[in-house]
Amino acid sequence: MTIGIDLGGTNVRAGLVEHDVITHQVNRVLQQKESLSATLAQLIALIKPLTERAVSGIGIGVPSVVDIERGVVYNVANIPSWEEVALRDILEDEFNLPVFINNDVNCFALGEHRFGMAKGYSSAVGMAIGTGLGSGVIIDNQLYVGSNCGAGEIGLLPYLDKNIESYASTHFFQEIHGTTALETHQAARLGGKQALKLWDEFGNHFGNAVKAVLYTYDPEVIVLGGSIAKAYPFFKASMQESMADFAYPVTLRRLKIFQSQNENIALLGAAALVRQLV
């Protein structure tokens, strides 16, 4: 049994995982984000009941850069008080259990590879499309994070006048078109022509993001997750059209792109950190 934690800027989820199944799960809204001590106390209180069972370790996905060797997280997204937190030491001292920490999108990719749509493939990239655009990378059946836990940050590559993330995430809808991805998705489901046009435009940009992934990592499979991935049917065609000029047609023929099917996959991926590293 292991514990998996998915720490977000708004919510924190924790689950007890046994035989690859979440047997118990708790979700909480993160409170008092301006206070490090308060947020740590809330996290510890969330985990504590789960440690009453015989667990082998705790895995945590965090939306930040992580010093994996030291277990330190830096500048956690949307949690202002978490600028530099020695999270592993804090939790290991509290629970006397091994703790493993990684970036949340890396946990998403690991979860898809171990339990989800990328299971059975030796190379995969998980692309989380939401507030930003992040990617987790699997190479030769292992999570690849780079020397600074920064591998896969395709969204930060320069693109047009900004970067890829500006055109292939929530930023595209809010900052360029003055709307939201959710509103555009709802309107598209009702057949709204302007909404459908926006998704076509989004798909064109996202296709360029996928090409960047292909040129960089050449995976067998890409799994799309995050809130915007729910609208995949509306931007799939324009994405594929945008990818048509990719330099290696055989790569496109072999590539598989899937939409994530499990809303708890990042939680399972976080729990899998324990099994991967102990």
Side-chain angles (χ1 to χ4, degrees):
M1 255 184 304
T2 56
I3 294 172
I5 299 168
D6 184 15
L7 176 66
T10 303
N11 300 293
V12 56
R13 301 184 299 158
L16 192 64
V17 178
E18 184 174 9
H19 302 303
D20 303 339
V21 175
I22 298 173
T23 58
H24 181 69
Q25 183 175 339
V26 285
N27 304 331
R28 296 288 186 273
V29 175
L30 196 62
Q31 305 286 346
Q32 302 181 54
K33 293 189 289 184
E34 300 290 340
S35 168
L36 176 60
S37 59
T39 49
L40 285 172
Q42 185 180 4
L43 179 62
I44 288 169
L46 190 70
I47 298 171
K48 191 170 185 178
L50 302 180
T51 62
E52 294 173 0
R53 305 288 297 276
V55 298
S56 58
I58 301 170
I60 307 177
V62 183
S64 71
V65 173
V66 180
D67 184 330
I68 294 174
E69 294 297 322
R70 296 171 56 228
V72 178
V73 301
Y74 298 92
N75 304 112
V76 177
N78 298 312
I79 308 179
S81 58
W82 286 44
E83 294 183 356
E84 181 176 343
V85 183
L87 187 59
R88 185 187 67 191
D89 289 349
I90 292 169
L91 295 182
E92 286 187 344
D93 289 346
E94 179 70 30
F95 296 112
N96 195 30
L97 286 168
V99 174
F100 304 94
I101 306 170
N102 215 305
N103 174 268
D104 58 344
V105 182
N106 288 340
C107 290
F108 162 67
L110 183 62
E112 290 291 355
H113 181 252
R114 296 291 189 271
F115 316 105
M117 303 303 293
K119 188 174 182 178
Y121 296 93
S122 64
S123 62
V125 171
M127 300 181 72
I129 328 165
T131 305
L133 175 64
S135 299
V137 182
I138 302 290
I139 298 175
D140 292 335
N141 292 306
Q142 297 296 321
L143 181 63
Y144 176 73
V145 300
S147 58
N148 298 291
C149 197
E153 293 294 343
I154 298 297
L156 300 181
L157 290 173
Y159 178 67
L160 299 179
D161 60 328
K162 299 178 182 179
N163 58 25
I164 291 177
E165 185 173 84
S166 298
Y167 290 88
S169 71
T170 296
H171 298 290
F172 169 79
F173 299 94
Q174 292 182 338
E175 297 173 11
I176 297 176
H177 291 285
T179 183
T180 68
L182 178 60
E183 290 172 353
T184 308
H185 188 193
Q186 291 172 336
R189 292 173 66 180
L190 296 174
K193 292 182 179 180
Q194 182 60 30
L196 293 170
K197 183 179 178 181
L198 277 189
W199 283 117
D200 283 343
E201 185 180 341
F202 177 86
N204 177 68
H205 296 303
F206 190 75
N208 288 322
V210 173
K211 286 189 290 186
V213 168
L214 296 181
Y215 284 126
T216 306
Y217 299 109
D218 189 23
E220 297 171 273
V221 59
I222 293 174
V223 184
L224 308 181
S227 57
I228 292 179
K230 296 175 182 178
Y232 181 50
F234 292 107
F235 64 86
K236 179 179 179 180
S238 59
M239 176 197 75
Q240 292 174 330
E241 184 178 346
S242 174
M243 294 166 58
D245 64 353
F246 188 75
Y248 309 117
V250 67
T251 298
L252 292 184
R253 289 199 299 269
R254 293 174 176 172
L255 176 67
K256 295 176 175 60
I257 300 179
F258 299 127
Q259 186 178 354
S260 179
Q261 300 298 310
N262 187 337
E263 64 180 12
N264 290 317
I265 202 70
L267 199 63
L268 288 167
L273 291 173
V274 179
R275 215 167 5 166
Q276 176 172 272
L277 297 173
V278 296

